[in-house]
Amino acid sequence: MPHRSIAVLLAAALVIALPALAEDSTPTAGGSPAPAPGRAPDPTIAAQLKQLGYEYEVDQDGDYRLLMGFNDSPRSQIVFIRSATESYGKYRIREIWSYAYQSSGDALPALVANRLLEASNQLILGSWVKQGNHAVYVAKIPADARAEALGDALDAAASSADDMELELAADINTDEF
């Protein structure tokens, strides 16, 4: 009987706590909570992007949004750099991500999901994740990476995501992301 009382108390605590937890738990490409709206952008990233000669915008979450072009191609790709960082033990990690595919339903089609897994196996920097009904390329680099490493991650995100977008597109003449 005492175990039943504990279970009832735990269930009641969850009912009370879950709505509050859900308010700030919008997942990002890496599955971690998104920064609160109006978060200040990381000024280190702005300095590095200036050093690299990139133009950018800052979105409402304080993340950096870049429109990356390609040599000898009319195509472009949107890439985001998260201002918020994640920690694992002593590591501080920054995510760079770029969308490549949007499913018409909540789930990615099996053929698309399997293709993304195969592609992830070939990638050196980054991998594919599912965010909602999108396939997103995510590179995770040290939060204190130098500008050159950030530039490499941006290039990897833009080229990998644009290549996959082109491969999975129903119409190869579209450039949605």
Side-chain angles (χ1 to χ4, degrees):
M1 198 68 140
H3 295 296
R4 183 178 235 185
S5 298
I6 292 171
V8 170
L9 287 174
L10 287 174
L14 282 174
V15 168
I16 293 168
L18 283 177
L21 291 172
E23 290 176 10
D24 292 328
S25 62
T26 305
T28 61
S32 54
R39 180 184 180 95
D42 183 336
T44 305
I45 299 300
Q48 290 177 324
L49 292 174
K50 182 177 180 180
Q51 179 183 346
L52 293 168
Y54 287 123
E55 294 182 14
Y56 61 87
E57 297 175 1
V58 176
D59 69 15
Q60 68 185 17
D61 295 327
D63 298 329
Y64 291 83
R65 180 185 185 275
L66 293 83
L67 181 62
M68 308 283 290
F70 300 101
N71 293 336
D72 303 324
S73 174
R75 295 185 61 81
S76 60
Q77 188 68 28
I78 299 169
V79 179
F80 294 90
I81 306 168
R82 290 200 58 217
S83 282
T85 59
E86 303 295 331
S87 295
Y88 185 86
K90 294 182 181 181
Y91 296 101
R92 280 189 41 245
I93 303 297
R94 183 175 313 280
E95 293 179 346
I96 291 91
W97 35 283
S98 187
Y99 291 85
Y101 178 81
Q102 182 175 6
S103 175
S104 59
D106 291 336
L108 298 177
L111 289 175
V112 170
N114 283 323
R115 176 63 190 112
L116 295 170
L117 285 171
E118 290 170 356
S120 285
N121 188 46
Q122 300 299 314
L123 294 169
I124 295 171
L125 178 64
S127 61
W128 290 100
V129 301
K130 179 185 178 294
Q131 181 183 15
N133 65 340
H134 290 92
V136 183
Y137 173 90
V138 179
K140 296 181 181 190
I141 63 172
D144 59 356
R146 296 182 180 268
E148 296 79 16
L150 177 63
D152 289 344
L154 289 169
D155 290 343
S159 61
S160 296
D162 192 62
D163 288 349
M164 188 59 69
E165 178 184 6
L166 192 56
E167 180 180 330
L168 298 176
D171 178 1
I172 62 170
N173 294 314
T174 61
D175 191 3
E176 186 175 352
F177 305 105

